[in-house]
PDB file of all heavy atoms in Angstrom:
ATOM      1  N   PHE A   1      15.583 142.983  91.173  1.00  0.00           N
ATOM      2  CA  PHE A   1      15.466 141.746  90.423  1.00  0.00           C
ATOM      3  C   PHE A   1      14.343 140.915  91.027  1.00  0.00           C
ATOM      4  O   PHE A   1      14.465 140.426  92.142  1.00  0.00           O
ATOM      5  CB  PHE A   1      16.778 140.951  90.471  1.00  0.00           C
ATOM      6  CG  PHE A   1      17.972 141.706  89.942  1.00  0.00           C
ATOM      7  CD1 PHE A   1      19.071 141.947  90.754  1.00  0.00           C
ATOM      8  CD2 PHE A   1      18.003 142.168  88.642  1.00  0.00           C
ATOM      9  CE1 PHE A   1      20.179 142.624  90.268  1.00  0.00           C
ATOM     10  CE2 PHE A   1      19.110 142.847  88.144  1.00  0.00           C
ATOM     11  CZ  PHE A   1      20.197 143.077  88.963  1.00  0.00           C
ATOM     12  N   ARG A   2      13.237 140.816  90.288  1.00  0.00           N
ATOM     13  CA  ARG A   2      12.067 140.073  90.783  1.00  0.00           C
ATOM     14  C   ARG A   2      11.683 140.526  92.199  1.00  0.00           C
ATOM     15  O   ARG A   2      11.293 139.732  93.059  1.00  0.00           O
ATOM     16  CB  ARG A   2      12.350 138.574  90.782  1.00  0.00           C
ATOM     17  CG  ARG A   2      12.438 137.945  89.407  1.00  0.00           C
ATOM     18  CD  ARG A   2      11.062 137.822  88.762  1.00  0.00           C
ATOM     19  NE  ARG A   2      11.109 137.003  87.553  1.00  0.00           N
ATOM     20  CZ  ARG A   2      10.037 136.535  86.930  1.00  0.00           C
ATOM     21  NH1 ARG A   2       8.826 136.801  87.418  1.00  0.00           N
ATOM     22  NH2 ARG A   2      10.152 135.825  85.843  1.00  0.00           N
ATOM     23  N   GLY A   3      11.809 141.826  92.423  1.00  0.00           N
ATOM     24  CA  GLY A   3      11.408 142.394  93.705  1.00  0.00           C
ATOM     25  C   GLY A   3      12.513 142.506  94.723  1.00  0.00           C
ATOM     26  O   GLY A   3      12.328 143.141  95.771  1.00  0.00           O
ATOM     27  N   TYR A   4      13.673 141.920  94.453  1.00  0.00           N
ATOM     28  CA  TYR A   4      14.782 141.940  95.409  1.00  0.00           C
ATOM     29  C   TYR A   4      15.809 142.997  95.015  1.00  0.00           C
ATOM     30  O   TYR A   4      16.235 143.056  93.853  1.00  0.00           O
ATOM     31  CB  TYR A   4      15.468 140.571  95.473  1.00  0.00           C
ATOM     32  CG  TYR A   4      14.602 139.471  96.041  1.00  0.00           C
ATOM     33  CD1 TYR A   4      13.897 138.615  95.198  1.00  0.00           C
ATOM     34  CD2 TYR A   4      14.492 139.287  97.410  1.00  0.00           C
ATOM     35  CE1 TYR A   4      13.108 137.589  95.711  1.00  0.00           C
ATOM     36  CE2 TYR A   4      13.705 138.267  97.942  1.00  0.00           C
ATOM     37  CZ  TYR A   4      13.009 137.424  97.082  1.00  0.00           C
ATOM     38  OH  TYR A   4      12.228 136.421  97.602  1.00  0.00           O
ATOM     39  N   SER A   5      16.227 143.808  95.979  1.00  0.00           N
ATOM     40  CA  SER A   5      17.268 144.800  95.735  1.00  0.00           C
ATOM     41  C   SER A   5      18.622 144.107  95.602  1.00  0.00           C
ATOM     42  O   SER A   5      18.778 142.922  95.945  1.00  0.00           O
ATOM     43  CB  SER A   5      17.317 145.802  96.880  1.00  0.00           C
ATOM     44  OG  SER A   5      17.761 145.168  98.076  1.00  0.00           O
ATOM     45  N   ILE A   6      19.622 144.855  95.139  1.00  0.00           N
ATOM     46  CA  ILE A   6      20.960 144.278  95.028  1.00  0.00           C
ATOM     47  C   ILE A   6      21.506 143.829  96.389  1.00  0.00           C
ATOM     48  O   ILE A   6      22.022 142.710  96.515  1.00  0.00           O
ATOM     49  CB  ILE A   6      21.923 145.255  94.326  1.00  0.00           C
ATOM     50  CG1 ILE A   6      21.627 145.271  92.818  1.00  0.00           C
ATOM     51  CG2 ILE A   6      23.375 144.878  94.577  1.00  0.00           C
ATOM     52  CD1 ILE A   6      22.482 146.214  92.022  1.00  0.00           C
ATOM     53  N   PRO A   7      21.399 144.646  97.457  1.00  0.00           N
ATOM     54  CA  PRO A   7      21.863 144.164  98.767  1.00  0.00           C
ATOM     55  C   PRO A   7      21.140 142.887  99.207  1.00  0.00           C
ATOM     56  O   PRO A   7      21.758 141.994  99.803  1.00  0.00           O
ATOM     57  CB  PRO A   7      21.558 145.330  99.707  1.00  0.00           C
ATOM     58  CG  PRO A   7      21.601 146.534  98.823  1.00  0.00           C
ATOM     59  CD  PRO A   7      21.019 146.077  97.520  1.00  0.00           C
ATOM     60  N   GLU A   8      19.844 142.803  98.920  1.00  0.00           N
ATOM     61  CA  GLU A   8      19.099 141.592  99.285  1.00  0.00           C
ATOM     62  C   GLU A   8      19.586 140.394  98.477  1.00  0.00           C
ATOM     63  O   GLU A   8      19.707 139.284  99.013  1.00  0.00           O
ATOM     64  CB  GLU A   8      17.604 141.822  99.065  1.00  0.00           C
ATOM     65  CG  GLU A   8      16.982 142.758 100.086  1.00  0.00           C
ATOM     66  CD  GLU A   8      15.558 143.175  99.736  1.00  0.00           C
ATOM     67  OE1 GLU A   8      15.183 143.108  98.542  1.00  0.00           O
ATOM     68  OE2 GLU A   8      14.825 143.591 100.652  1.00  0.00           O
ATOM     69  N   CYS A   9      19.871 140.605  97.196  1.00  0.00           N
ATOM     70  CA  CYS A   9      20.406 139.514  96.372  1.00  0.00           C
ATOM     71  C   CYS A   9      21.769 139.071  96.883  1.00  0.00           C
ATOM     72  O   CYS A   9      22.080 137.871  96.917  1.00  0.00           O
ATOM     73  CB  CYS A   9      20.503 139.948  94.911  1.00  0.00           C
ATOM     74  SG  CYS A   9      18.910 140.065  94.052  1.00  0.00           S
ATOM     75  N   GLN A  10      22.594 140.045  97.284  1.00  0.00           N
ATOM     76  CA  GLN A  10      23.905 139.697  97.827  1.00  0.00           C
ATOM     77  C   GLN A  10      23.790 138.844  99.086  1.00  0.00           C
ATOM     78  O   GLN A  10      24.619 137.976  99.347  1.00  0.00           O
ATOM     79  CB  GLN A  10      24.709 140.959  98.136  1.00  0.00           C
ATOM     80  CG  GLN A  10      25.219 141.698  96.898  1.00  0.00           C
ATOM     81  CD  GLN A  10      26.015 142.938  97.256  1.00  0.00           C
ATOM     82  OE1 GLN A  10      25.451 143.952  97.621  1.00  0.00           O
ATOM     83  NE2 GLN A  10      27.330 142.843  97.146  1.00  0.00           N
ATOM     84  N   GLN A  11      22.749 139.089  99.840  1.00  0.00           N
ATOM     85  CA  GLN A  11      22.551 138.351 101.080  1.00  0.00           C
ATOM     86  C   GLN A  11      21.897 136.984 100.841  1.00  0.00           C
ATOM     87  O   GLN A  11      22.310 135.983 101.432  1.00  0.00           O
ATOM     88  CB  GLN A  11      21.681 139.168 102.040  1.00  0.00           C
ATOM     89  CG  GLN A  11      21.375 138.451 103.354  1.00  0.00           C
ATOM     90  CD  GLN A  11      20.431 139.247 104.245  1.00  0.00           C
ATOM     91  OE1 GLN A  11      20.051 140.360 103.916  1.00  0.00           O
ATOM     92  NE2 GLN A  11      20.071 138.673 105.385  1.00  0.00           N
ATOM     93  N   LEU A  12      20.906 136.931  99.932  1.00  0.00           N
ATOM     94  CA  LEU A  12      20.058 135.749  99.815  1.00  0.00           C
ATOM     95  C   LEU A  12      20.532 134.724  98.789  1.00  0.00           C
ATOM     96  O   LEU A  12      20.301 133.518  98.971  1.00  0.00           O
ATOM     97  CB  LEU A  12      18.627 136.176  99.458  1.00  0.00           C
ATOM     98  CG  LEU A  12      17.882 137.009 100.499  1.00  0.00           C
ATOM     99  CD1 LEU A  12      16.556 137.510  99.932  1.00  0.00           C
ATOM    100  CD2 LEU A  12      17.643 136.195 101.769  1.00  0.00           C
ATOM    101  N   LEU A  13      21.155 135.172  97.714  1.00  0.00           N
ATOM    102  CA  LEU A  13      21.519 134.234  96.665  1.00  0.00           C
ATOM    103  C   LEU A  13      22.688 133.350  97.084  1.00  0.00           C
ATOM    104  O   LEU A  13      23.587 133.798  97.800  1.00  0.00           O
ATOM    105  CB  LEU A  13      21.869 134.980  95.384  1.00  0.00           C
ATOM    106  CG  LEU A  13      20.712 135.680  94.663  1.00  0.00           C
ATOM    107  CD1 LEU A  13      21.217 136.449  93.451  1.00  0.00           C
ATOM    108  CD2 LEU A  13      19.634 134.670  94.239  1.00  0.00           C
ATOM    109  N   PRO A  14      22.695 132.103  96.646  1.00  0.00           N
ATOM    110  CA  PRO A  14      23.801 131.190  96.996  1.00  0.00           C
ATOM    111  C   PRO A  14      25.158 131.705  96.541  1.00  0.00           C
ATOM    112  O   PRO A  14      25.273 132.432  95.548  1.00  0.00           O
ATOM    113  CB  PRO A  14      23.424 129.900  96.253  1.00  0.00           C
ATOM    114  CG  PRO A  14      21.936 129.948  96.149  1.00  0.00           C
ATOM    115  CD  PRO A  14      21.618 131.404  95.920  1.00  0.00           C
ATOM    116  N   LYS A  15      26.178 131.304  97.274  1.00  0.00           N
ATOM    117  CA  LYS A  15      27.551 131.732  97.008  1.00  0.00           C
ATOM    118  C   LYS A  15      28.436 130.497  96.853  1.00  0.00           C
ATOM    119  O   LYS A  15      28.078 129.401  97.285  1.00  0.00           O
ATOM    120  CB  LYS A  15      28.051 132.613  98.149  1.00  0.00           C
ATOM    121  CG  LYS A  15      27.184 133.853  98.374  1.00  0.00           C
ATOM    122  CD  LYS A  15      27.478 134.501  99.704  1.00  0.00           C
ATOM    123  CE  LYS A  15      26.563 135.713  99.933  1.00  0.00           C
ATOM    124  NZ  LYS A  15      25.130 135.339  99.982  1.00  0.00           N
ATOM    125  N   ALA A  16      29.589 130.700  96.227  1.00  0.00           N
ATOM    126  CA  ALA A  16      30.563 129.618  96.136  1.00  0.00           C
ATOM    127  C   ALA A  16      31.074 129.278  97.526  1.00  0.00           C
ATOM    128  O   ALA A  16      31.044 130.111  98.440  1.00  0.00           O
ATOM    129  CB  ALA A  16      31.714 130.029  95.227  1.00  0.00           C
ATOM    130  N   ALA A  17      31.563 128.067  97.685  1.00  0.00           N
ATOM    131  CA  ALA A  17      32.046 127.628  98.995  1.00  0.00           C
ATOM    132  C   ALA A  17      33.175 128.509  99.502  1.00  0.00           C
ATOM    133  O   ALA A  17      33.329 128.702 100.713  1.00  0.00           O
ATOM    134  CB  ALA A  17      32.509 126.176  98.911  1.00  0.00           C
ATOM    135  N   ASP A  18      33.949 129.067  98.550  1.00  0.00           N
ATOM    136  CA  ASP A  18      35.088 129.894  98.946  1.00  0.00           C
ATOM    137  C   ASP A  18      34.854 131.376  98.710  1.00  0.00           C
ATOM    138  O   ASP A  18      35.792 132.170  98.695  1.00  0.00           O
ATOM    139  CB  ASP A  18      36.334 129.462  98.163  1.00  0.00           C
ATOM    140  CG  ASP A  18      36.138 129.586  96.656  1.00  0.00           C
ATOM    141  OD1 ASP A  18      34.980 129.776  96.212  1.00  0.00           O
ATOM    142  OD2 ASP A  18      37.146 129.508  95.913  1.00  0.00           O
ATOM    143  N   GLY A  19      33.579 131.769  98.518  1.00  0.00           N
ATOM    144  CA  GLY A  19      33.309 133.151  98.154  1.00  0.00           C
ATOM    145  C   GLY A  19      32.246 133.806  99.009  1.00  0.00           C
ATOM    146  O   GLY A  19      31.528 133.157  99.768  1.00  0.00           O
ATOM    147  N   ALA A  20      32.144 135.130  98.853  1.00  0.00           N
ATOM    148  CA  ALA A  20      31.152 135.904  99.601  1.00  0.00           C
ATOM    149  C   ALA A  20      30.176 136.629  98.686  1.00  0.00           C
ATOM    150  O   ALA A  20      29.199 137.206  99.159  1.00  0.00           O
ATOM    151  CB  ALA A  20      31.868 136.921 100.497  1.00  0.00           C
ATOM    152  N   GLU A  21      30.448 136.629  97.365  1.00  0.00           N
ATOM    153  CA  GLU A  21      29.573 137.310  96.419  1.00  0.00           C
ATOM    154  C   GLU A  21      28.568 136.328  95.810  1.00  0.00           C
ATOM    155  O   GLU A  21      28.851 135.132  95.699  1.00  0.00           O
ATOM    156  CB  GLU A  21      30.401 137.958  95.311  1.00  0.00           C
ATOM    157  CG  GLU A  21      31.368 139.029  95.795  1.00  0.00           C
ATOM    158  CD  GLU A  21      30.682 140.211  96.447  1.00  0.00           C
ATOM    159  OE1 GLU A  21      29.476 140.421  96.204  1.00  0.00           O
ATOM    160  OE2 GLU A  21      31.350 140.936  97.217  1.00  0.00           O
ATOM    161  N   PRO A  22      27.390 136.810  95.418  1.00  0.00           N
ATOM    162  CA  PRO A  22      26.372 135.916  94.859  1.00  0.00           C
ATOM    163  C   PRO A  22      26.821 135.312  93.523  1.00  0.00           C
ATOM    164  O   PRO A  22      27.550 135.937  92.759  1.00  0.00           O
ATOM    165  CB  PRO A  22      25.165 136.839  94.659  1.00  0.00           C
ATOM    166  CG  PRO A  22      25.746 138.209  94.529  1.00  0.00           C
ATOM    167  CD  PRO A  22      26.951 138.226  95.430  1.00  0.00           C
ATOM    168  N   LEU A  23      26.371 134.102  93.264  1.00  0.00           N
ATOM    169  CA  LEU A  23      26.672 133.441  91.997  1.00  0.00           C
ATOM    170  C   LEU A  23      25.659 133.872  90.934  1.00  0.00           C
ATOM    171  O   LEU A  23      24.446 133.858  91.193  1.00  0.00           O
ATOM    172  CB  LEU A  23      26.631 131.921  92.158  1.00  0.00           C
ATOM    173  CG  LEU A  23      27.754 131.315  93.004  1.00  0.00           C
ATOM    174  CD1 LEU A  23      27.465 129.850  93.311  1.00  0.00           C
ATOM    175  CD2 LEU A  23      29.086 131.459  92.292  1.00  0.00           C
ATOM    176  N   PRO A  24      26.107 134.241  89.746  1.00  0.00           N
ATOM    177  CA  PRO A  24      25.181 134.638  88.666  1.00  0.00           C
ATOM    178  C   PRO A  24      24.178 133.547  88.312  1.00  0.00           C
ATOM    179  O   PRO A  24      23.062 133.853  87.884  1.00  0.00           O
ATOM    180  CB  PRO A  24      26.117 134.932  87.493  1.00  0.00           C
ATOM    181  CG  PRO A  24      27.425 135.276  88.125  1.00  0.00           C
ATOM    182  CD  PRO A  24      27.513 134.423  89.352  1.00  0.00           C
ATOM    183  N   GLU A  25      24.558 132.287  88.502  1.00  0.00           N
ATOM    184  CA  GLU A  25      23.621 131.197  88.249  1.00  0.00           C
ATOM    185  C   GLU A  25      22.361 131.345  89.099  1.00  0.00           C
ATOM    186  O   GLU A  25      21.241 131.078  88.643  1.00  0.00           O
ATOM    187  CB  GLU A  25      24.280 129.841  88.558  1.00  0.00           C
ATOM    188  CG  GLU A  25      25.407 129.455  87.629  1.00  0.00           C
ATOM    189  CD  GLU A  25      26.777 129.894  88.114  1.00  0.00           C
ATOM    190  OE1 GLU A  25      26.883 131.010  88.680  1.00  0.00           O
ATOM    191  OE2 GLU A  25      27.741 129.141  87.936  1.00  0.00           O
ATOM    192  N   GLY A  26      22.563 131.769  90.346  1.00  0.00           N
ATOM    193  CA  GLY A  26      21.419 131.971  91.230  1.00  0.00           C
ATOM    194  C   GLY A  26      20.566 133.137  90.795  1.00  0.00           C
ATOM    195  O   GLY A  26      19.332 133.097  90.893  1.00  0.00           O
ATOM    196  N   LEU A  27      21.210 134.185  90.299  1.00  0.00           N
ATOM    197  CA  LEU A  27      20.474 135.342  89.800  1.00  0.00           C
ATOM    198  C   LEU A  27      19.654 134.951  88.576  1.00  0.00           C
ATOM    199  O   LEU A  27      18.500 135.369  88.429  1.00  0.00           O
ATOM    200  CB  LEU A  27      21.448 136.468  89.476  1.00  0.00           C
ATOM    201  CG  LEU A  27      20.920 137.896  89.230  1.00  0.00           C
ATOM    202  CD1 LEU A  27      20.403 138.083  87.821  1.00  0.00           C
ATOM    203  CD2 LEU A  27      19.881 138.292  90.264  1.00  0.00           C
ATOM    204  N   PHE A  28      20.220 134.123  87.684  1.00  0.00           N
ATOM    205  CA  PHE A  28      19.476 133.669  86.506  1.00  0.00           C
ATOM    206  C   PHE A  28      18.254 132.854  86.924  1.00  0.00           C
ATOM    207  O   PHE A  28      17.164 133.020  86.365  1.00  0.00           O
ATOM    208  CB  PHE A  28      20.381 132.839  85.596  1.00  0.00           C
ATOM    209  CG  PHE A  28      19.707 132.386  84.323  1.00  0.00           C
ATOM    210  CD1 PHE A  28      19.381 133.302  83.332  1.00  0.00           C
ATOM    211  CD2 PHE A  28      19.400 131.046  84.116  1.00  0.00           C
ATOM    212  CE1 PHE A  28      18.753 132.897  82.158  1.00  0.00           C
ATOM    213  CE2 PHE A  28      18.775 130.632  82.948  1.00  0.00           C
ATOM    214  CZ  PHE A  28      18.449 131.560  81.965  1.00  0.00           C
ATOM    215  N   TRP A  29      18.418 131.994  87.906  1.00  0.00           N
ATOM    216  CA  TRP A  29      17.278 131.215  88.412  1.00  0.00           C
ATOM    217  C   TRP A  29      16.203 132.161  88.955  1.00  0.00           C
ATOM    218  O   TRP A  29      15.018 131.994  88.684  1.00  0.00           O
ATOM    219  CB  TRP A  29      17.756 130.261  89.509  1.00  0.00           C
ATOM    220  CG  TRP A  29      16.695 129.301  89.984  1.00  0.00           C
ATOM    221  CD1 TRP A  29      15.564 129.605  90.694  1.00  0.00           C
ATOM    222  CD2 TRP A  29      16.662 127.889  89.770  1.00  0.00           C
ATOM    223  NE1 TRP A  29      14.825 128.480  90.946  1.00  0.00           N
ATOM    224  CE2 TRP A  29      15.476 127.404  90.389  1.00  0.00           C
ATOM    225  CE3 TRP A  29      17.512 126.990  89.140  1.00  0.00           C
ATOM    226  CZ2 TRP A  29      15.138 126.039  90.377  1.00  0.00           C
ATOM    227  CZ3 TRP A  29      17.167 125.642  89.127  1.00  0.00           C
ATOM    228  CH2 TRP A  29      16.002 125.181  89.743  1.00  0.00           C
ATOM    229  N   LEU A  30      16.642 133.165  89.706  1.00  0.00           N
ATOM    230  CA  LEU A  30      15.703 134.139  90.253  1.00  0.00           C
ATOM    231  C   LEU A  30      14.979 134.899  89.141  1.00  0.00           C
ATOM    232  O   LEU A  30      13.758 135.081  89.192  1.00  0.00           O
ATOM    233  CB  LEU A  30      16.441 135.117  91.165  1.00  0.00           C
ATOM    234  CG  LEU A  30      15.618 136.275  91.746  1.00  0.00           C
ATOM    235  CD1 LEU A  30      14.532 135.760  92.677  1.00  0.00           C
ATOM    236  CD2 LEU A  30      16.525 137.262  92.479  1.00  0.00           C
ATOM    237  N   LEU A  31      15.721 135.344  88.125  1.00  0.00           N
ATOM    238  CA  LEU A  31      15.106 136.079  87.022  1.00  0.00           C
ATOM    239  C   LEU A  31      14.094 135.215  86.278  1.00  0.00           C
ATOM    240  O   LEU A  31      13.046 135.696  85.858  1.00  0.00           O
ATOM    241  CB  LEU A  31      16.182 136.574  86.046  1.00  0.00           C
ATOM    242  CG  LEU A  31      17.140 137.650  86.555  1.00  0.00           C
ATOM    243  CD1 LEU A  31      18.192 137.958  85.496  1.00  0.00           C
ATOM    244  CD2 LEU A  31      16.399 138.914  86.949  1.00  0.00           C
ATOM    245  N   CYS A  32      14.406 133.945  86.123  1.00  0.00           N
ATOM    246  CA  CYS A  32      13.502 133.052  85.390  1.00  0.00           C
ATOM    247  C   CYS A  32      12.256 132.694  86.182  1.00  0.00           C
ATOM    248  O   CYS A  32      11.160 132.606  85.618  1.00  0.00           O
ATOM    249  CB  CYS A  32      14.239 131.766  85.000  1.00  0.00           C
ATOM    250  SG  CYS A  32      15.368 131.910  83.602  1.00  0.00           S
ATOM    251  N   THR A  33      12.405 132.491  87.478  1.00  0.00           N
ATOM    252  CA  THR A  33      11.315 131.907  88.264  1.00  0.00           C
ATOM    253  C   THR A  33      10.701 132.842  89.292  1.00  0.00           C
ATOM    254  O   THR A  33       9.581 132.588  89.764  1.00  0.00           O
ATOM    255  CB  THR A  33      11.811 130.663  89.025  1.00  0.00           C
ATOM    256  OG1 THR A  33      12.738 131.078  90.040  1.00  0.00           O
ATOM    257  CG2 THR A  33      12.493 129.679  88.072  1.00  0.00           C
ATOM    258  N   GLY A  34      11.418 133.897  89.686  1.00  0.00           N
ATOM    259  CA  GLY A  34      10.946 134.749  90.770  1.00  0.00           C
ATOM    260  C   GLY A  34      11.225 134.154  92.141  1.00  0.00           C
ATOM    261  O   GLY A  34      10.804 134.703  93.162  1.00  0.00           O
ATOM    262  N   LYS A  35      11.955 133.037  92.184  1.00  0.00           N
ATOM    263  CA  LYS A  35      12.242 132.359  93.441  1.00  0.00           C
ATOM    264  C   LYS A  35      13.743 132.323  93.709  1.00  0.00           C
ATOM    265  O   LYS A  35      14.537 132.145  92.787  1.00  0.00           O
ATOM    266  CB  LYS A  35      11.704 130.925  93.400  1.00  0.00           C
ATOM    267  CG  LYS A  35      10.196 130.838  93.183  1.00  0.00           C
ATOM    268  CD  LYS A  35       9.750 129.386  93.115  1.00  0.00           C
ATOM    269  CE  LYS A  35       8.239 129.282  92.894  1.00  0.00           C
ATOM    270  NZ  LYS A  35       7.798 127.858  92.831  1.00  0.00           N
ATOM    271  N   VAL A  36      14.116 132.473  94.979  1.00  0.00           N
ATOM    272  CA  VAL A  36      15.514 132.343  95.371  1.00  0.00           C
ATOM    273  C   VAL A  36      15.875 130.864  95.370  1.00  0.00           C
ATOM    274  O   VAL A  36      15.230 130.064  96.052  1.00  0.00           O
ATOM    275  CB  VAL A  36      15.762 132.948  96.766  1.00  0.00           C
ATOM    276  CG1 VAL A  36      17.200 132.697  97.212  1.00  0.00           C
ATOM    277  CG2 VAL A  36      15.461 134.441  96.760  1.00  0.00           C
ATOM    278  N   PRO A  37      16.888 130.465  94.604  1.00  0.00           N
ATOM    279  CA  PRO A  37      17.215 129.043  94.502  1.00  0.00           C
ATOM    280  C   PRO A  37      18.000 128.531  95.702  1.00  0.00           C
ATOM    281  O   PRO A  37      18.571 129.307  96.477  1.00  0.00           O
ATOM    282  CB  PRO A  37      18.083 128.985  93.236  1.00  0.00           C
ATOM    283  CG  PRO A  37      18.765 130.315  93.214  1.00  0.00           C
ATOM    284  CD  PRO A  37      17.751 131.301  93.749  1.00  0.00           C
ATOM    285  N   THR A  38      18.037 127.223  95.814  1.00  0.00           N
ATOM    286  CA  THR A  38      18.859 126.582  96.833  1.00  0.00           C
ATOM    287  C   THR A  38      20.296 126.429  96.311  1.00  0.00           C
ATOM    288  O   THR A  38      20.556 126.587  95.110  1.00  0.00           O
ATOM    289  CB  THR A  38      18.316 125.188  97.176  1.00  0.00           C
ATOM    290  OG1 THR A  38      18.417 124.350  96.002  1.00  0.00           O
ATOM    291  CG2 THR A  38      16.861 125.264  97.610  1.00  0.00           C
ATOM    292  N   ASP A  39      21.201 126.098  97.206  1.00  0.00           N
ATOM    293  CA  ASP A  39      22.579 125.838  96.805  1.00  0.00           C
ATOM    294  C   ASP A  39      22.633 124.715  95.776  1.00  0.00           C
ATOM    295  O   ASP A  39      23.401 124.784  94.802  1.00  0.00           O
ATOM    296  CB  ASP A  39      23.430 125.465  98.014  1.00  0.00           C
ATOM    297  CG  ASP A  39      23.669 126.629  98.957  1.00  0.00           C
ATOM    298  OD1 ASP A  39      23.377 127.781  98.559  1.00  0.00           O
ATOM    299  OD2 ASP A  39      24.143 126.404 100.079  1.00  0.00           O
ATOM    300  N   GLU A  40      21.852 123.679  95.986  1.00  0.00           N
ATOM    301  CA  GLU A  40      21.874 122.529  95.079  1.00  0.00           C
ATOM    302  C   GLU A  40      21.342 122.905  93.703  1.00  0.00           C
ATOM    303  O   GLU A  40      21.876 122.475  92.671  1.00  0.00           O
ATOM    304  CB  GLU A  40      21.047 121.383  95.674  1.00  0.00           C
ATOM    305  CG  GLU A  40      21.039 120.114  94.823  1.00  0.00           C
ATOM    306  CD  GLU A  40      22.425 119.506  94.653  1.00  0.00           C
ATOM    307  OE1 GLU A  40      23.288 119.739  95.531  1.00  0.00           O
ATOM    308  OE2 GLU A  40      22.649 118.802  93.646  1.00  0.00           O
ATOM    309  N   GLN A  41      20.293 123.698  93.656  1.00  0.00           N
ATOM    310  CA  GLN A  41      19.741 124.127  92.370  1.00  0.00           C
ATOM    311  C   GLN A  41      20.752 124.950  91.583  1.00  0.00           C
ATOM    312  O   GLN A  41      20.893 124.809  90.366  1.00  0.00           O
ATOM    313  CB  GLN A  41      18.448 124.913  92.597  1.00  0.00           C
ATOM    314  CG  GLN A  41      17.279 124.039  93.009  1.00  0.00           C
ATOM    315  CD  GLN A  41      16.066 124.839  93.465  1.00  0.00           C
ATOM    316  OE1 GLN A  41      16.206 125.943  94.018  1.00  0.00           O
ATOM    317  NE2 GLN A  41      14.877 124.298  93.264  1.00  0.00           N
TER     318      GLN A  41
END
């Protein structure tokens, strides 16, 4: 995804406060922009 593998996305994308898996919202931001979003974004 925009150059990032699934393991890299699992590591880099923001997660819920009570979770360990990446949030799809962050993946959508990455797909749209090519940038890893912040928690606030």
